[in-house]
Amino acid sequence: MDTAFASRWSRRFVGTGVVFFVAWGFAAALGMGRRTEVSLLLFGFVLHTVFGKAYALLPTYFDRELAVSWAPALQFPLTVGATLALAASAVQGVPIVAIQVAAVLWALGVAVFLGTMLATLRGNLTGRETGTGEHNADRRAVDRAANAAVPVVFLYLLLGSYEFLAATLALPTIFGGAMAAISHLLAAGVAGLLIFAVGFRLFPRFLNATPPRWLVYVVLPAGAIGPALVAAGLYGGPLLRAGAALQAIAVTGFALTYATLFVRSDNRRIGFYAVLAGMGAALLAVGLGVQFAVAGRDPVLVVAHYRLTLVGFLGLTIV
């Protein structure tokens, strides 16, 4: 396999994510609206960065090599084109076919990504083989638990992408086809859960500290179930309240884990403070989510909620 070729394309995904983030800043300043903002932030910045880092990290974490080195190059124009078409579809005067093109391109790009990941991880989908060296043997239990969450991330990516395609092309939907449901599946189910999984592997090594192990087994199941319940009960009722509670447990537990690692560590690089700030933004975002589940949504607070989530929590933590 040409690892250098795959690595270059992985970096291009991450670099493109940064470009989308900058584009979001201009779009927000110009008041271009929620759909444009979410398109650029979630589909553009967050998920392209996730794709790039997944191609780079997940094969190693599962003790495998990327099965198809040219897959990132094939996916790249599909998901980038989808994001641009989706962002453009919110602009007045752009024909409705733009969002249909976006949905089809996105589905094709995700099919390439998921097909490549499943081929790469075959025989080890639960992640029992972790690639963890003997010098980190004491971390293997946590690494296995973190790996086990990754197939759930793939399922959320499949569900969110299908829901986007179905809602756009008038196919049967699972969660009602609302863009808010799609956004929760992709933001919380894909990016959020992947940050929990990868974070439990990366942050203890970065900070050279040990997390409270019991929190790992609280955060990952809560983070795996919560997004589906939120998407299913988006407009009120017991499912929404249960999903919001589980998301609150997952985010609070992860923030507590990171804060514990930070306090126990002697490393004080600026990036670690940024992640700490990201945890603060995550707590504010999930607090608003709980408020929406209990008392209903306020349009102004909805904007604060998705910006705190996509820019604060996911943005600061990813960067």
Side-chain angles (χ1 to χ4, degrees):
M1 187 195 74
D2 189 346
T3 55
F5 181 82
S7 179
R8 283 197 301 273
W9 278 99
S10 171
R11 292 194 297 272
R12 284 169 185 166
F13 271 95
V14 176
T16 301
V18 174
V19 173
F20 277 123
F21 183 79
V22 174
W24 163 77
F26 285 105
L30 295 172
M32 295 185 68
R34 186 185 306 175
R35 185 194 290 179
T36 300
E37 284 196 43
V38 172
S39 301
L40 295 171
L41 275 177
L42 176 56
F43 288 81
F45 166 53
V46 171
L47 291 177
H48 277 85
T49 307
V50 163
F51 291 141
K53 298 312 294 181
Y55 280 124
L57 295 177
L58 292 185
T60 301
Y61 284 178
F62 283 72
D63 198 23
R64 295 291 188 269
E65 290 188 355
L66 190 65
V68 185
S69 61
W70 46 262
L74 177 60
Q75 180 197 341
F76 184 82
L78 296 171
T79 49
V80 170
T83 304
L84 293 173
L86 181 59
S89 70
V91 178
Q92 187 174 4
V94 174
I96 194 171
V97 71
I99 195 170
Q100 296 170 338
V101 169
V104 171
L105 289 176
W106 185 263
L108 292 173
V110 166
V112 172
F113 175 79
L114 289 178
T116 303
M117 284 294 118
L118 292 175
T120 298
L121 307 185
R122 67 185 181 277
N124 188 33
L125 193 58
T126 62
R128 182 164 182 80
E129 298 171 49
T130 62
T132 306
E134 288 301 323
H135 61 292
N136 279 316
D138 58 313
R139 302 190 192 275
R140 283 196 182 121
V142 170
D143 291 350
R144 285 175 179 146
N147 279 3
V150 172
V152 183
V153 172
F154 295 161
L155 178 59
Y156 274 116
L157 181 59
L158 178 64
L159 287 173
S161 300
Y162 171 78
E163 195 74 3
F164 179 31
L165 184 68
T168 303
L169 300 184
L171 300 173
T173 62
I174 302 171
F175 297 94
M179 186 55 74
I182 295 166
S183 297
H184 277 87
L185 291 169
L186 295 176
V190 177
L193 182 57
L194 190 61
I195 279 181
F196 298 155
V198 172
F200 280 129
R201 294 200 58 154
L202 279 181
F203 289 140
R205 290 166 169 84
F206 283 167
L207 292 160
N208 194 26
T210 302
R213 186 169 294 185
W214 66 273
L215 280 172
V216 177
Y217 302 107
V218 171
V219 170
L220 292 174
I225 299 169
L229 296 182
V230 170
L234 193 62
Y235 296 104
L239 285 179
L240 177 60
R241 289 191 288 273
L246 286 172
Q247 280 298 105
I249 290 169
V251 168
T252 302
F254 190 71
L256 182 59
T257 300
Y258 183 79
T260 303
L261 291 170
F262 186 86
V263 169
R264 290 177 177 176
S265 174
D266 293 327
N267 294 335
R268 286 294 181 265
R269 295 184 180 182
I270 186 65
F272 300 148
Y273 287 94
V275 177
L276 196 64
M279 296 302 107
L283 292 173
L284 290 174
V286 81
L288 287 175
V290 171
Q291 180 179 333
F292 297 158
V294 174
R297 298 185 298 170
D298 179 298
V300 174
L301 293 180
V302 167
V303 174
H305 174 66
Y306 75 70
R307 287 182 178 175
L308 281 167
T309 301
L310 298 176
V311 181
F313 169 43
L314 298 177
L316 284 170
T317 305
I318 288 170
V319 171

